Amino acid sequence: MACILLPHGLTGQYIPAEHRVPANGEIPVRTAGSYGIPGATYVLVNDISSPRSTIFLGKDITLDLNGYTITYADGNYGHVPNYGFEDGLTGWDISKAPGAKIENTEEVHAFIGSKILRLKAGDEVASGYVYLPLAGRSYCAMCGLTGNYTKIWEET
């Protein structure tokens, strides 16, 4: 049995910062964009919000938030209902996958989530439509694949 004692009045590391005017040599940041001058210090001078990615930072730079916030991907994105197999085959069309079988990842191999879909050669699965709210931008989908392997043991 373990006992953990926590001091009364715990506080986090967040300390509100007062806004300041960038010093000589510091570069003010007012909008979303790419900031990548090596060794430069960039300082936010207002809140920045974007329905897409907001700030791209280069190598060896410093970004001082200066008490402001950056909000990105605020494009009214809906939740992808079948982002994996944690809820079984809900949201998946497996009519062309007679060999489809849900398995526990801990019994198969390390993978994201606790469930994985095993397919046989030639099986096809399809997801329902996913709402993508913004045109003219990139989206990313990921699929993890694994093979059906049989272990062959030889006595030596």
Side-chain angles (χ1 to χ4, degrees), residues 49-55 71-75 77 134-138:
S49 180
S50 173
R52 297 180 172 93
S53 298
T54 307
I55 301 285
T71 306
Y72 61 96
D74 65 350
Y77 297 96
L134 297 173
R137 68 150 295 164
S138 298

Side-chain angles (χ1 to χ4, degrees), residues 13-90:
Q13 295 179 359
Y14 172 75
I15 300 171
E18 295 293 324
H19 306 310
R20 65 179 181 80
V21 175
N24 285 339
E26 294 180 329
I27 303 166
V29 174
R30 293 179 178 81
T31 62
S34 296
Y35 300 93
I37 299 171
T41 296
Y42 296 94
V43 179
L44 253 59
V45 293
N46 52 265
D47 292 333
I48 296 176
S49 180
S50 173
R52 297 180 172 93
S53 298
T54 307
I55 301 285
F56 295 91
L57 302 174
K59 182 179 178 184
D60 299 327
I61 64 103
T62 299
L63 174 62
D64 181 345
L65 296 177
N66 195 18
Y68 291 102
T69 61
I70 297 175
T71 306
Y72 61 96
D74 65 350
N76 191 27
Y77 297 96
H79 174 69
V80 175
N82 60 340
Y83 61 91
F85 299 101
E86 304 307 306
D87 295 326
L89 296 170
T90 302

